Amino acid sequence: KYEKKLLQLEHEHEIKLERERISRDLHDSLDAYANAVLYKTEQLEKEKTENKKTELIGDLRFASKDIITSLRETVWALKKESYTAEDCLLRIRNFVQPFTRYYEPIQFRITGEAPPDMILHYTKALNLVRIVQEAVSNSIKHAHATEISITCTIDEEKWKITIADNGKGFNYLSARKEEQGNGLINMEQRAQASGINYSIASNVNEGTTITLIV
């Protein structure tokens, strides 16, 4: 009876962890695209010229397709036991590319490469991609940045990814305690769970820099 009860508790714990994982994935992957839809919808409501309205409707159509793609990507990491760092960087590039269309005032830049021989377990690969996605989403939605950069460097078999913006910055400790700090907590939890070295530096009116070392 004890062993049966123990197995039941373990199963319930696994279900709880899976629910939390799915919740984080949906938040990190869909939040940015949903925000893009809202942003373009607000522009459409204010626009007077027909040509511009048609263009905005096209943007909304693309954003809707990207939401579908992002949902499919939620199960991407479950298809194989491991992925290369280059696979992860490709996913990051594919995530950022549509934003150059949705947010014309923002300059997006991705530089550097991934280690060609680095192999990551599927959970680590997914968490890495999701952290970068969340960082970019926060820069768009909260920082009101005009420049967002992702810089990749390779040093002594370590992969360093830096996500930086020139936005308004914030007080990290205060933001983390507030409800809207859930995205920050998600990034921390993902990094901790996968053994990714994670640090964040931000000051009011000085932008934000997030550094990941894999």
Side-chain angles (χ1 to χ4, degrees):
K1 289 182 179 179
Y2 173 78
E3 289 179 351
K4 185 177 180 180
K5 182 63 176 178
L6 184 60
L7 288 172
Q8 180 183 349
L9 290 173
E10 288 176 350
H11 180 63
E12 290 174 355
H13 181 63
E14 288 175 358
I15 291 175
K16 179 176 180 293
L17 292 177
E18 185 65 9
R19 285 174 176 168
E20 291 175 353
R21 183 190 69 78
I22 293 172
S23 176
R24 287 196 302 268
D25 284 346
L26 290 175
H27 175 275
D28 295 353
S29 61
L30 298 183
D31 187 61
Y33 292 126
N35 191 62
V37 171
L38 177 61
Y39 175 71
K40 288 298 180 180
T41 301
E42 291 173 347
Q43 284 189 316
L44 183 61
E45 289 175 342
K46 299 175 183 177
E47 187 55 51
K48 303 298 182 183
T49 63
E50 290 301 319
N51 287 342
K52 187 62 178 179
K53 282 184 178 181
T54 301
E55 181 181 330
L56 289 169
I57 290 171
D59 289 343
L60 286 169
R61 186 179 296 109
F62 276 107
S64 299
K65 290 179 179 178
D66 287 328
I67 287 175
I68 295 171
T69 300
S70 185
L71 279 170
R72 291 172 180 166
E73 201 165 84
T74 300
V75 297
W76 158 71
L78 301 177
K79 294 179 180 178
K80 294 195 299 185
E81 282 296 317
S82 61
Y83 288 87
T84 66
E86 291 174 328
D87 288 332
C88 295
L89 183 55
L90 178 60
R91 291 283 166 174
I92 291 169
R93 290 183 187 277
N94 289 343
F95 173 80
V96 173
Q97 195 277 330
F99 294 140
T100 60
R101 177 186 178 94
Y102 305 146
Y103 300 100
E104 294 177 1
I106 302 177
Q107 180 181 353
F108 296 89
R109 184 172 65 253
I110 301 178
T111 59
E113 301 296 334
D117 300 323
M118 180 176 284
I119 304 296
L120 304 176
H121 186 269
Y122 72 88
T123 54
K124 192 168 189 174
L126 178 62
N127 281 331
L128 176 64
V129 171
R130 291 307 193 208
I131 292 170
V132 177
Q133 290 177 339
E134 177 67 21
V136 173
S137 299
N138 286 343
S139 293
I140 294 172
K141 187 166 62 172
H142 301 302
H144 304 297
T146 58
E147 296 179 6
I148 300 173
S149 66
I150 299 173
T151 306
C152 299
T153 56
I154 305 169
D155 184 23
E156 296 182 354
E157 298 184 353
K158 296 288 186 179
W159 186 21
K160 182 178 179 180
I161 305 173
T162 304
I163 308 100
D165 68 52
N166 66 340
K168 63 181 184 180
F170 61 96
N171 183 300
Y172 174 73
L173 294 178
S174 298
R176 195 183 182 285
K177 293 178 182 178
E178 297 174 1
E179 185 176 353
Q180 61 263 37
N182 282 341
L184 296 174
I185 295 172
N186 280 350
M187 288 191 288
E188 288 179 20
Q189 290 177 339
R190 287 184 181 280
Q192 185 176 12
S194 296
I196 298 170
N197 189 314
Y198 167 92
S199 63
I200 180 170
S202 184
N203 291 301
V204 177
N205 298 322
E206 294 183 12
T208 300
T209 300
I210 293 175
T211 303
L212 308 173
I213 299 177
V214 185

